[in-house]
Amino acid sequence: MQIDELSPQTKQVATATLTDQIFRKIQTAIVSGEIAAGSKISEPELARVYGISRGPLREAIHRLEGQKLVERTAHVGARVVSLSHQQLFELYQIRENLEGLACRLAAQSIDKQQILNLREVLHLHAQDPNFKEGKGYYLQEGQDDFHYCIIKNCGNKTLEKMLCDELYHLIRMYRIQYSKTPNRPHRALSEHIRILDAIADGDAELAELLMRRHIAASYQNIEQNLI
């Protein structure tokens, strides 16, 4: 049975599910760099590649605009976002300050189970085959992402919305595409362990300082590769 043959209610659910699927596929392709930064978004081409009609595709692209992964310009159309050096610097300034604050807050309120969960996340990172082979850091999203988990445990819902919703995938796009620099993955894991130790000790000042240094180092790594 085709979608057009379904009842209006069932058709709406089927279309929403299809939109979710295509949204995730394009999101992954952009974040990983498979669809390059600055690329023009061609609806006919994407519809052909993914075998989808234009309606669900347009809704998926609209959602990607909301995540700041796609931007639309008058007389040009939609393109994958490509930050200038200044824009990237400003994004990492925001990230350094806000994630530093998240660490400070987490150190003041986190419980033992949450600490154990974060240690398990880092253990998962250390066991990743690509990480062991030096091919890059383990950069899964959501509950498998160390940064995401800290923010979710900081107790500040406004901060959580900014970093886990509004800016998360844009930041993740740059984290993933510049995570394969030689020696950076192992340094990053070591820095994560020190940050978590400070949080576990309840040392809010040190936790904030270490996270700020960690993100500053990440930006320096990106900057060196942009030259």
Side-chain angles (χ1 to χ4, degrees):
M1 181 181 290
Q2 300 297 315
I3 287 181
D4 289 341
E5 300 173 347
L6 300 174
S7 68
Q9 294 84 358
T10 306
K11 182 178 178 180
Q12 185 177 11
V13 172
T15 301
T17 301
L18 191 58
T19 299
D20 288 341
Q21 291 174 351
I22 199 66
F23 164 73
R24 295 292 293 174
K25 286 181 180 179
I26 300 174
Q27 180 195 66
T28 298
I30 291 173
V31 169
S32 68
E34 182 183 338
I35 300 178
S39 297
K40 182 175 175 56
I41 297 292
S42 168
E43 289 186 12
E45 177 65 13
L46 288 177
R48 183 189 65 79
V49 168
Y50 292 109
I52 190 173
S53 64
R54 299 285 282 275
L57 177 59
R58 284 172 180 160
E59 175 60 27
I61 292 172
H62 178 69
R63 287 171 61 182
L64 291 165
E65 288 183 69
Q67 291 192 335
K68 299 179 172 53
L69 292 177
V70 169
E71 56 188 2
R72 194 176 296 276
T73 306
H75 311 300
V76 175
R79 290 185 180 276
V80 176
V81 69
S82 179
L83 299 183
S84 67
H85 285 206
Q86 180 62 27
Q87 289 172 321
L88 186 59
F89 172 69
E90 291 172 4
L91 177 66
Y92 266 73
Q93 271 190 323
I94 292 169
R95 187 183 170 206
E96 180 183 328
N97 282 276
L98 294 186
E99 288 202 39
L101 174 59
C103 279
R104 172 180 286 275
L105 295 174
Q108 295 169 346
S109 62
I110 201 164
D111 62 36
K112 290 182 180 179
Q113 185 57 54
Q114 291 166 337
I115 292 293
L116 290 175
N117 292 343
L118 282 164
R119 292 206 187 280
E120 181 58 32
V121 168
L122 292 186
H123 176 73
L124 186 66
H125 293 188
Q127 297 306 311
D128 178 60
N130 286 331
F131 173 77
K132 287 183 174 181
E133 294 173 13
K135 294 180 180 179
Y137 195 69
Y138 182 84
L139 285 172
Q140 297 300 316
E141 64 179 293
Q143 296 300 325
D144 290 329
D145 177 355
F146 179 70
H147 289 261
Y148 181 95
C149 290
I150 287 177
I151 297 160
K152 283 289 186 178
N153 285 308
C154 78
N156 185 313
K157 293 299 181 183
T158 301
L159 193 59
E160 181 181 322
K161 185 174 186 295
M162 293 174 70
L163 291 174
C164 292
D165 295 332
E166 296 171 5
L167 296 174
Y168 183 67
H169 290 283
L170 178 60
I171 290 170
R172 191 164 174 267
M173 172 180 167
Y174 283 90
R175 287 175 62 198
I176 285 181
Q177 294 182 28
Y178 291 93
S179 68
K180 299 179 181 179
T181 305
N183 301 318
R184 180 60 195 158
H186 285 86
R187 285 201 301 270
L189 179 60
S190 177
E191 289 165 7
H192 283 171
I193 292 170
R194 290 186 64 206
I195 290 165
L196 181 53
D197 286 344
I199 291 173
D201 289 341
D203 192 334
E205 184 174 351
L206 180 60
E208 178 175 10
L209 174 64
L210 291 176
M211 179 58 85
R212 289 176 63 110
R213 286 179 176 173
H214 170 67
I215 293 173
S218 296
Y219 175 73
Q220 289 170 4
N221 174 59
I222 292 173
E223 191 176 38
Q224 289 167 3
N225 283 277
L226 287 173
I227 295 174

